[in-house]
Every structure is written in structure tokens, then in C-alpha cells.
Amino acid sequence: MNRGLHDFLVAGASDRVELYPASIDRALLTGMRLYRQRVALTTAAAIAVVIALVSVVALTPGWIGGSAAGNDDVVGLVLDPADLTVTLGGTVQFVALAQLENGSTRDVGDHTRWKSLDPGIATVDGFGLATAISPGTATISGAAEGIGSEASLTVLPVGVVALSIILTPPTPAVETGSSQQFTAVAQFSDGSTEDISAAAAWGSTSPAIASVNAGGLATGASPGDTAIIAGWNGLQGSSSLTVIDPPSAPVRIVVEPATARVCSPATQPMTAVGVDAAGKPVDVGPIVWTTNRDDFAVDESGLVTPNETANGEATITAQAAGLAGTGTVSCSQIE
């Protein structure tokens, strides 16, 4: 029996001895029961506090059982850049991104284990900073969240330097809402080239006209001109991009002249054009010409040639883009 229990029991027993001198045993039993009740209440309170703390931890993002993305949500690991070329002595900062089940990514570089599989070509420190040591290609690996990934780092030979970056296509045009894929190619002093599209930093001088993603895919937003730029190893290349409104849909075909009088041996040229709702000309592609009378023949260019017996009226039809327009030609033969 510890000292606290002893003192408690003695005090309780003494009180009861004064009240009931003949019941010392019963007084001791009563004191024991009260002490046990106090211990039970104290233990229950401590357990309640522990349960409350566990509940808070479980619901805290990032802890086991929490609602935030944890290790179980990670489905892949991406190292950026995935493939890069540098000059001798150059450095590259790699970034590790965990891919989550919901399609988003999370930077996990602060607890990624970095390693160079070819330290004689390039080294990498604990923060993902790689340094080019000698010519060749090194594999940089990173591991986090129980998943590993690799990137490639090419070190150019001594004396070989990147001279310029060429973007293709050079001057494309797209409609609003449409996209154009650009490619960035680095040109080196030894005459070699390399596609650096995945490693380049892409940008648009006028994002309100066209934006461009990390892979060089530009999307037109509003009519106008902008420059698409790719930067890499201190160099920049650019290409102009023109964004235009999509053409209006044609609503009808207009045939000219609408009416004409023509008799053999004369001929009558007909023209047809597609127009939109505002009456503006719209390209409708090739025109197909037909006639409803054999004595008023029409060729593929719209030229009407009546024969010697042609008399009366014929309807000449122009068709294109699912639309049709008509004109009328006539000839009056006097007996």
C-alpha cells in the first residue's frame, strides 16, 4: 500500500473511529471503497481526454485517417524536368511532384531522396540540384511517398554550347478556342540539334489573346497577335501566333444573275457565292451546277449554253455546303 493510500485510509478510519468506536473494520472498508471511486473517476477522465486527442489527430489533414491526401492517395511520381541538356559545369534544379488519385499534384521535393545513377557525369544533392561533371548522359532518380521516378540529364562535351532555340511552326494562325502545338529545338555549336520542348519554359506575351501550357500547346482566346516564347539554358526562341474569329456559317447561296435571257448561239455565265446571316460572303468550297432542262446545258464553271431548239425557261441550281441557290435563264423562239 502506498503512502497516499495509507494516509487516506487512516484519516478515514480515524474519523469513523471517533463516530463509531466499535466499528473500526467497517470504517476501514468504507475508506477503501471511497478511494477506489476516486481512482476510477480520475482514470475515466484521463481516458476521455486521450480519446478526444486521438479524434482530433485522425481528422487533421496529413495525419493517418485524415481527409487530406496522404500516402494512399499517391499514384505516381514525376520529376521535372524529365529530360534536359546542359553545358559542362551547368546546374539543374529538379522538382518532384506526387500525382494524386484526384488528378492533382503535390510538391514533395522537401522529402524526396535524390540520387545520381551516373555520378561521374552529374551529381545531385539532397535538394534535387544537379551539377554537370563530365560529358555524357546521367540518370537522376528521386523517391518519395514510396514511389520512385527517373529523369535524364545530358551533359554536352567541352566546347559545345547551345546557340539558339527555333520554334515551329514559325507564324501559325488559329481560331479562337482552337489550339496549336509548338516545338522548341535547340541548335548547338557542333551542328547538332535537340528537341527541348518538354524542358523549355513556355510563355505568351499576351495571355489574353493566347495562352500556352508547359508542353508548348497554345490555345487561342481572343482575336489578335501574340508571341509564343520558349526559354531554356539562358536562351529564348519565339514564334508569332495570330488568333482569328472562326468564320461565320453560311446560310444561303446567292446566284448571279438571278434572271437572264439567252438564246443560242449566245452563252450566259453564272456565279454563286455563300453568304452568312449578315449578308457577308463566306467560303463554301466547290460549287456544283445543275439544270432542270437539257436544252439549257450548264458546265462545272456555271456557264449556261442553250441549244438551237431551246425555248422557254430553265432553272439553274448552285449547290455547296448543304445549301442551294437558283437562277433563271430563258429564251423566246419566234416561229
Side-chain angles (χ1 to χ4, degrees), residues 20-47:
Y20 308 102
S23 305
I24 295 177
D25 291 340
R26 186 171 58 187
L28 288 173
L29 291 175
T30 301
M32 284 287 289
R33 178 171 52 80
L34 292 174
Y35 179 79
R36 288 171 180 165
Q37 288 177 348
R38 288 190 182 181
V39 172
L41 289 173
T42 303
T43 303
I47 292 174

mmCIF file of all heavy atoms in Angstrom, residues 20-47:
data_model
loop_
_atom_site.group_PDB
_atom_site.id
_atom_site.type_symbol
_atom_site.label_atom_id
_atom_site.label_comp_id
_atom_site.label_asym_id
_atom_site.label_seq_id
_atom_site.Cartn_x
_atom_site.Cartn_y
_atom_site.Cartn_z
ATOM 1 N N TYR A 20 -17.847 5.901 15.535
ATOM 2 C CA TYR A 20 -18.288 4.529 15.853
ATOM 3 C C TYR A 20 -17.111 3.745 16.402
ATOM 4 O O TYR A 20 -16.435 3.009 15.646
ATOM 5 C CB TYR A 20 -18.815 3.834 14.587
ATOM 6 C CG TYR A 20 -19.851 4.647 13.855
ATOM 7 C CD1 TYR A 20 -19.500 5.350 12.709
ATOM 8 C CD2 TYR A 20 -21.158 4.702 14.321
ATOM 9 C CE1 TYR A 20 -20.446 6.095 12.037
ATOM 10 C CE2 TYR A 20 -22.106 5.442 13.649
ATOM 11 C CZ TYR A 20 -21.740 6.139 12.505
ATOM 12 O OH TYR A 20 -22.668 6.865 11.844
ATOM 13 N N PRO A 21 -16.772 3.899 17.601
ATOM 14 C CA PRO A 21 -15.576 3.257 18.176
ATOM 15 C C PRO A 21 -15.591 1.752 18.032
ATOM 16 O O PRO A 21 -14.528 1.144 17.927
ATOM 17 C CB PRO A 21 -15.652 3.660 19.658
ATOM 18 C CG PRO A 21 -16.492 4.883 19.673
ATOM 19 C CD PRO A 21 -17.483 4.736 18.592
ATOM 20 N N ALA A 22 -16.730 1.146 17.963
ATOM 21 C CA ALA A 22 -16.778 -0.322 17.907
ATOM 22 C C ALA A 22 -16.723 -0.848 16.486
ATOM 23 O O ALA A 22 -16.874 -2.049 16.283
ATOM 24 C CB ALA A 22 -18.045 -0.816 18.626
ATOM 25 N N SER A 23 -16.595 0.057 15.483
ATOM 26 C CA SER A 23 -16.693 -0.414 14.077
ATOM 27 C C SER A 23 -15.457 -0.021 13.293
ATOM 28 O O SER A 23 -15.527 0.598 12.234
ATOM 29 C CB SER A 23 -17.955 0.173 13.424
ATOM 30 O OG SER A 23 -19.100 -0.131 14.161
ATOM 31 N N ILE A 24 -14.323 -0.316 13.832
ATOM 32 C CA ILE A 24 -13.064 0.057 13.150
ATOM 33 C C ILE A 24 -12.951 -0.663 11.811
ATOM 34 O O ILE A 24 -12.590 -0.075 10.782
ATOM 35 C CB ILE A 24 -11.861 -0.291 14.041
ATOM 36 C CG1 ILE A 24 -11.911 0.560 15.302
ATOM 37 C CG2 ILE A 24 -10.557 -0.077 13.298
ATOM 38 C CD1 ILE A 24 -10.804 0.242 16.282
ATOM 39 N N ASP A 25 -13.252 -1.949 11.738
ATOM 40 C CA ASP A 25 -13.146 -2.700 10.468
ATOM 41 C C ASP A 25 -14.049 -2.121 9.407
ATOM 42 O O ASP A 25 -13.667 -1.970 8.233
ATOM 43 C CB ASP A 25 -13.500 -4.175 10.712
ATOM 44 C CG ASP A 25 -12.450 -4.890 11.541
ATOM 45 O OD1 ASP A 25 -11.303 -4.348 11.582
ATOM 46 O OD2 ASP A 25 -12.766 -5.934 12.097
ATOM 47 N N ARG A 26 -15.286 -1.796 9.817
ATOM 48 C CA ARG A 26 -16.221 -1.236 8.828
ATOM 49 C C ARG A 26 -15.733 0.125 8.338
ATOM 50 O O ARG A 26 -15.877 0.481 7.171
ATOM 51 C CB ARG A 26 -17.597 -1.107 9.461
ATOM 52 C CG ARG A 26 -18.669 -0.677 8.447
ATOM 53 C CD ARG A 26 -20.058 -0.780 9.050
ATOM 54 N NE ARG A 26 -20.134 0.052 10.263
ATOM 55 C CZ ARG A 26 -21.194 0.049 11.068
ATOM 56 N NH1 ARG A 26 -22.215 -0.758 10.829
ATOM 57 N NH2 ARG A 26 -21.221 0.812 12.150
ATOM 58 N N ALA A 27 -15.125 0.908 9.202
ATOM 59 C CA ALA A 27 -14.593 2.214 8.804
ATOM 60 C C ALA A 27 -13.471 2.066 7.783
ATOM 61 O O ALA A 27 -13.371 2.816 6.811
ATOM 62 C CB ALA A 27 -14.087 2.961 10.035
ATOM 63 N N LEU A 28 -12.603 1.071 7.989
ATOM 64 C CA LEU A 28 -11.523 0.833 7.028
ATOM 65 C C LEU A 28 -12.077 0.425 5.668
ATOM 66 O O LEU A 28 -11.608 0.855 4.608
ATOM 67 C CB LEU A 28 -10.583 -0.253 7.566
ATOM 68 C CG LEU A 28 -9.696 0.170 8.744
ATOM 69 C CD1 LEU A 28 -8.953 -1.050 9.285
ATOM 70 C CD2 LEU A 28 -8.705 1.239 8.306
ATOM 71 N N LEU A 29 -13.070 -0.449 5.630
ATOM 72 C CA LEU A 29 -13.683 -0.886 4.362
ATOM 73 C C LEU A 29 -14.321 0.286 3.619
ATOM 74 O O LEU A 29 -14.230 0.420 2.398
ATOM 75 C CB LEU A 29 -14.718 -1.970 4.639
ATOM 76 C CG LEU A 29 -14.148 -3.316 5.104
ATOM 77 C CD1 LEU A 29 -15.291 -4.269 5.472
ATOM 78 C CD2 LEU A 29 -13.273 -3.936 4.020
ATOM 79 N N THR A 30 -14.981 1.160 4.378
ATOM 80 C CA THR A 30 -15.609 2.332 3.751
ATOM 81 C C THR A 30 -14.549 3.249 3.140
ATOM 82 O O THR A 30 -14.708 3.781 2.036
ATOM 83 C CB THR A 30 -16.420 3.100 4.792
ATOM 84 O OG1 THR A 30 -17.421 2.231 5.341
ATOM 85 C CG2 THR A 30 -17.097 4.325 4.156
ATOM 86 N N GLY A 31 -13.445 3.438 3.859
ATOM 87 C CA GLY A 31 -12.367 4.267 3.327
ATOM 88 C C GLY A 31 -11.788 3.698 2.043
ATOM 89 O O GLY A 31 -11.490 4.419 1.097
ATOM 90 N N MET A 32 -11.614 2.376 1.962
ATOM 91 C CA MET A 32 -11.117 1.725 0.742
ATOM 92 C C MET A 32 -12.059 1.957 -0.435
ATOM 93 O O MET A 32 -11.640 2.229 -1.571
ATOM 94 C CB MET A 32 -10.956 0.227 0.993
ATOM 95 C CG MET A 32 -9.732 -0.136 1.823
ATOM 96 S SD MET A 32 -8.214 0.045 0.868
ATOM 97 C CE MET A 32 -8.396 -1.327 -0.235
ATOM 98 N N ARG A 33 -13.362 1.830 -0.165
ATOM 99 C CA ARG A 33 -14.349 1.999 -1.246
ATOM 100 C C ARG A 33 -14.302 3.420 -1.797
ATOM 101 O O ARG A 33 -14.331 3.636 -3.011
ATOM 102 C CB ARG A 33 -15.744 1.679 -0.701
ATOM 103 C CG ARG A 33 -16.855 1.876 -1.726
ATOM 104 C CD ARG A 33 -18.184 1.323 -1.190
ATOM 105 N NE ARG A 33 -18.488 1.849 0.130
ATOM 106 C CZ ARG A 33 -19.021 3.065 0.357
ATOM 107 N NH1 ARG A 33 -19.265 3.856 -0.670
ATOM 108 N NH2 ARG A 33 -19.281 3.469 1.586
ATOM 109 N N LEU A 34 -14.204 4.423 -0.933
ATOM 110 C CA LEU A 34 -14.144 5.806 -1.399
ATOM 111 C C LEU A 34 -12.880 6.079 -2.233
ATOM 112 O O LEU A 34 -12.893 6.791 -3.228
ATOM 113 C CB LEU A 34 -14.199 6.760 -0.203
ATOM 114 C CG LEU A 34 -15.539 6.793 0.550
ATOM 115 C CD1 LEU A 34 -15.420 7.672 1.792
ATOM 116 C CD2 LEU A 34 -16.643 7.306 -0.357
ATOM 117 N N TYR A 35 -11.790 5.517 -1.795
ATOM 118 C CA TYR A 35 -10.535 5.708 -2.536
ATOM 119 C C TYR A 35 -10.634 5.118 -3.946
ATOM 120 O O TYR A 35 -10.220 5.712 -4.934
ATOM 121 C CB TYR A 35 -9.382 5.067 -1.767
ATOM 122 C CG TYR A 35 -8.051 5.211 -2.484
ATOM 123 C CD1 TYR A 35 -7.348 6.416 -2.417
ATOM 124 C CD2 TYR A 35 -7.527 4.151 -3.206
ATOM 125 C CE1 TYR A 35 -6.136 6.552 -3.062
ATOM 126 C CE2 TYR A 35 -6.326 4.292 -3.864
ATOM 127 C CZ TYR A 35 -5.617 5.494 -3.791
ATOM 128 O OH TYR A 35 -4.435 5.627 -4.453
ATOM 129 N N ARG A 36 -11.200 3.912 -4.027
ATOM 130 C CA ARG A 36 -11.346 3.266 -5.340
ATOM 131 C C ARG A 36 -12.246 4.082 -6.269
ATOM 132 O O ARG A 36 -12.031 4.159 -7.480
ATOM 133 C CB ARG A 36 -11.888 1.852 -5.159
ATOM 134 C CG ARG A 36 -10.870 0.886 -4.571
ATOM 135 C CD ARG A 36 -11.510 -0.430 -4.199
ATOM 136 N NE ARG A 36 -10.543 -1.351 -3.640
ATOM 137 C CZ ARG A 36 -10.868 -2.453 -2.979
ATOM 138 N NH1 ARG A 36 -12.171 -2.755 -2.789
ATOM 139 N NH2 ARG A 36 -9.928 -3.253 -2.496
ATOM 140 N N GLN A 37 -13.276 4.677 -5.690
ATOM 141 C CA GLN A 37 -14.160 5.509 -6.503
ATOM 142 C C GLN A 37 -13.407 6.704 -7.074
ATOM 143 O O GLN A 37 -13.576 7.081 -8.242
ATOM 144 C CB GLN A 37 -15.351 5.982 -5.668
ATOM 145 C CG GLN A 37 -16.359 4.867 -5.348
ATOM 146 C CD GLN A 37 -17.488 5.360 -4.456
ATOM 147 O OE1 GLN A 37 -17.413 6.466 -3.893
ATOM 148 N NE2 GLN A 37 -18.515 4.538 -4.316
ATOM 149 N N ARG A 38 -12.574 7.330 -6.240
ATOM 150 C CA ARG A 38 -11.783 8.473 -6.734
ATOM 151 C C ARG A 38 -10.829 8.055 -7.860
ATOM 152 O O ARG A 38 -10.672 8.722 -8.875
ATOM 153 C CB ARG A 38 -10.983 9.088 -5.587
ATOM 154 C CG ARG A 38 -11.834 9.865 -4.593
ATOM 155 C CD ARG A 38 -10.945 10.639 -3.639
ATOM 156 N NE ARG A 38 -11.734 11.355 -2.653
ATOM 157 C CZ ARG A 38 -11.207 12.127 -1.704
ATOM 158 N NH1 ARG A 38 -9.874 12.267 -1.649
ATOM 159 N NH2 ARG A 38 -11.982 12.758 -0.825
ATOM 160 N N VAL A 39 -10.164 6.900 -7.669
ATOM 161 C CA VAL A 39 -9.240 6.403 -8.710
ATOM 162 C C VAL A 39 -9.987 6.126 -9.998
ATOM 163 O O VAL A 39 -9.549 6.449 -11.109
ATOM 164 C CB VAL A 39 -8.503 5.146 -8.203
ATOM 165 C CG1 VAL A 39 -7.704 4.503 -9.347
ATOM 166 C CG2 VAL A 39 -7.578 5.501 -7.046
ATOM 167 N N ALA A 40 -11.179 5.505 -9.908
ATOM 168 C CA ALA A 40 -11.965 5.168 -11.099
ATOM 169 C C ALA A 40 -12.373 6.427 -11.845
ATOM 170 O O ALA A 40 -12.312 6.498 -13.085
ATOM 171 C CB ALA A 40 -13.189 4.340 -10.701
ATOM 172 N N LEU A 41 -12.818 7.467 -11.105
ATOM 173 C CA LEU A 41 -13.232 8.703 -11.760
ATOM 174 C C LEU A 41 -12.058 9.386 -12.463
ATOM 175 O O LEU A 41 -12.170 9.899 -13.575
ATOM 176 C CB LEU A 41 -13.852 9.646 -10.723
ATOM 177 C CG LEU A 41 -15.226 9.226 -10.177
ATOM 178 C CD1 LEU A 41 -15.649 10.157 -9.046
ATOM 179 C CD2 LEU A 41 -16.265 9.245 -11.301
ATOM 180 N N THR A 42 -10.897 9.394 -11.787
ATOM 181 C CA THR A 42 -9.703 10.014 -12.384
ATOM 182 C C THR A 42 -9.282 9.282 -13.660
ATOM 183 O O THR A 42 -8.939 9.877 -14.685
ATOM 184 C CB THR A 42 -8.537 10.016 -11.383
ATOM 185 O OG1 THR A 42 -8.956 10.700 -10.196
ATOM 186 C CG2 THR A 42 -7.312 10.699 -11.973
ATOM 187 N N THR A 43 -9.313 7.945 -13.633
ATOM 188 C CA THR A 43 -8.932 7.141 -14.809
ATOM 189 C C THR A 43 -9.894 7.378 -15.960
ATOM 190 O O THR A 43 -9.489 7.510 -17.132
ATOM 191 C CB THR A 43 -8.914 5.646 -14.441
ATOM 192 O OG1 THR A 43 -8.009 5.451 -13.356
ATOM 193 C CG2 THR A 43 -8.487 4.806 -15.629
ATOM 194 N N ALA A 44 -11.184 7.440 -15.691
ATOM 195 C CA ALA A 44 -12.182 7.670 -16.739
ATOM 196 C C ALA A 44 -11.968 9.022 -17.408
ATOM 197 O O ALA A 44 -12.070 9.163 -18.632
ATOM 198 C CB ALA A 44 -13.583 7.571 -16.145
ATOM 199 N N ALA A 45 -11.662 10.028 -16.601
ATOM 200 C CA ALA A 45 -11.424 11.364 -17.158
ATOM 201 C C ALA A 45 -10.198 11.362 -18.061
ATOM 202 O O ALA A 45 -10.179 11.976 -19.136
ATOM 203 C CB ALA A 45 -11.258 12.369 -16.026
ATOM 204 N N ALA A 46 -9.142 10.657 -17.641
ATOM 205 C CA ALA A 46 -7.917 10.586 -18.456
ATOM 206 C C ALA A 46 -8.192 9.883 -19.785
ATOM 207 O O ALA A 46 -7.714 10.303 -20.847
ATOM 208 C CB ALA A 46 -6.824 9.860 -17.682
ATOM 209 N N ILE A 47 -8.961 8.810 -19.746
ATOM 210 C CA ILE A 47 -9.289 8.078 -20.978
ATOM 211 C C ILE A 47 -10.083 8.961 -21.929
ATOM 212 O O ILE A 47 -9.877 8.954 -23.149
ATOM 213 C CB ILE A 47 -10.060 6.792 -20.642
ATOM 214 C CG1 ILE A 47 -9.137 5.808 -19.899
ATOM 215 C CG2 ILE A 47 -10.637 6.157 -21.903
ATOM 216 C CD1 ILE A 47 -9.846 4.562 -19.403
#
